[in-house]
Amino acid sequence: MKIRTNPFCKRFFIVISLLALVLPIVGSGSPEPTLAQSSQTTAFVNVNVIPMDKERVLENQTILVEGDRITAIGPLAEVTVPEGAEIVEGNGAYLMPGLADMHVHLEFDADPDSLRLYLAQGVTTIRNLNSIPEHLTWLEQVARGELLGPTIYTSGNTIVGLPAEFAWVRYGPRVGVILAPVIIGLLIWLIIWLLVKFTPVMANFGSIKRFILPSLAGLLLVGGLLAWFIPLTTYVKIFIVPFASVPESEREARQMVRDQYADGVDFIKPYNYLPRAHYFAVMDEAEKLGIYTAGHTTSYPEVVSLQETIEAGQDEVVHADEFTHYFWVGYDPTVNGWVEYDIDMGKIDEVARQVAENDMAVTPTLVTNEMSLLGLEDKEGLLRRPEYAVIRPEVMEAWRSRGRFVNWQGQETYRREKWRPLLVGLTKAFNDRGVLLNLGTDVSVEGVVPGYSVHQELQLLVEAGLTPFEALSAGTRNPGLTVARMVGDGSFGTVEVGQRADLILLSNNPLEDVTHTQERLGVMVRGQWFTQAELDGLVDEFVATYRADDSLASQ
């Protein structure tokens, strides 16, 4: 996989040639643990296998793993354990596929060792929904066994429009770019004047001062050309976020898709605020290239309808709440701000039917809204929970002082009484209609904990009306099917011969209660076995670096 150069670089050479015409006028004056690919054979002996191909338990089984693949499954008496194999005694424990979190944001933590947080919770696959070059590096390092973490699939930069509150980015930075060369020119002329005035270096300012206005005019032209040539995406990366690509034309939107496709990303993420024409250009180019699309559903303030989204070929919607505006009574997309619209619950089955009939996948991320709601109702009580011990102190402080827990105050009653029932009902309707549902948590949102929140999402899916098997499918089998759609190979998510050896060993049967996924004895990722104690130790080592960082910062 290669990392492409920023589009600004292509235009930079044009600007340099123009600068060459103007400048002569002015110038006339300790080892970390890794996951190496193992050739070791591992045998799980006397385990109850939950294969997740259908709702069943295979009792008293032996599973053989060679390298990163499952090579044999069968009753104890029928599978011979090779001499020298590493033996994991199951003693009647339950072996199921590793979990997948299909909606994370790796920018939540810049340290790649944060990937341990997922493994320690039984998450062996993650899907990153926007990336910077570092994330592509992490993906490759994990695949080569140089970095300990779950298998990563990723989009490129989110392709997004600018919301109204960031419209200044179109003009403010560009004005600065226009004026910057002129300001530099004025400083140069000031230095020249000072040299003439107070030193013998230049004795005759009058002979060159006729160049002042022409040079400043030339520099103003250079600034204008720079502002014109630098794409809006560059300003957004500097002034807002580094993982957003903002097209200013249909042509540029198409080029962004082609660039990401050439970089080898696994899918394209269209996001909110895209003008309609730009959204359809992104989708059309992705369809031509045959690359998967997973993102949001609308382009504010120019709404793209559900039928248009379907016809454009979008493969997946990554939040259940992206459908909410289809249910708002009297919805006005031009209104910028929070409005407590009435909700037409009678439309739920029709929306679910359209999504199902067009084979669109959905990642509900119910936990995202649940944590926001709990934080609004009792922020301090929520953040005192033990699972937040793995969150960096500066992140915890940010959650307390800004973001949803602060900015959304006053919305909690509406969100609990109207918003939440809609999301729960819609998720149940999607499942009943046979929509391919994926488990996802939207790590980076306030209150969501890497790894841990997948177990909260499982419980919320059951609360929405899914059976434990259906909820577990959203975190195992379904992600394998989704990744097969994305990249052609989704050989994980079930316990079958030939599948990737991503496994969790549990004390009790999660088909009876999904909370049993939190009773882990150990985790296997791509064929390497870790006891839960070993994984907890690796997390403790990582969290200890927070305190080390604080100590260094205070010195």
Side-chain angles (χ1 to χ4, degrees), residues 27 34 73 173 177 195 232 314 339 410 417-418 461 477 495 544:
T34 58
I73 303 173
V177 169
L195 288 172
L232 182 59
Q314 186 164 324
V339 178
E417 294 181 358
K418 293 192 175 182
L461 290 174
R477 181 169 58 94
V495 184

Side-chain angles (χ1 to χ4, degrees), residues 74 335 479 520 539:
V335 174
R520 293 174 303 281
V539 168

Side-chain angles (χ1 to χ4, degrees), residues 222-334:
V222 168
L225 290 171
L226 278 170
W228 179 60
F229 276 113
I230 296 175
L232 182 59
T233 284
T234 300
Y235 298 115
V236 171
K237 289 181 185 298
I238 294 171
F239 293 99
I240 305 179
V241 290
F243 43 80
S245 291
V246 183
E248 295 186 90
S249 66
E250 292 179 54
R251 178 194 59 77
E252 193 171 16
R254 290 178 182 276
Q255 187 60 50
M256 287 175 178
V257 175
R258 290 193 291 269
D259 288 346
Q260 292 191 19
Y261 178 78
D263 286 341
V265 302
D266 300 308
F267 64 102
I268 300 295
K269 182 186 177 183
Y271 196 71
N272 300 111
Y273 311 113
L274 280 170
R276 286 171 57 88
H278 295 182
Y279 170 79
F280 290 125
V282 167
M283 296 306 304
D284 183 62
E285 198 63 31
E287 284 286 296
K288 288 178 179 177
L289 294 172
I291 188 168
Y292 194 86
T293 49
H296 291 200
T297 61
T298 61
S299 300
Y300 298 118
E302 304 172 75
V303 172
V304 176
S305 71
L306 176 58
Q307 189 58 41
E308 288 175 317
T309 302
I310 289 169
E311 290 173 355
Q314 186 164 324
D315 296 295
E316 184 176 352
V317 176
V318 296
H319 296 286
D321 65 8
E322 279 300 305
F323 294 93
T324 53
H325 62 281
Y326 300 136
F327 300 91
W328 288 336
V329 177
Y331 171 52
D332 182 358
T334 64

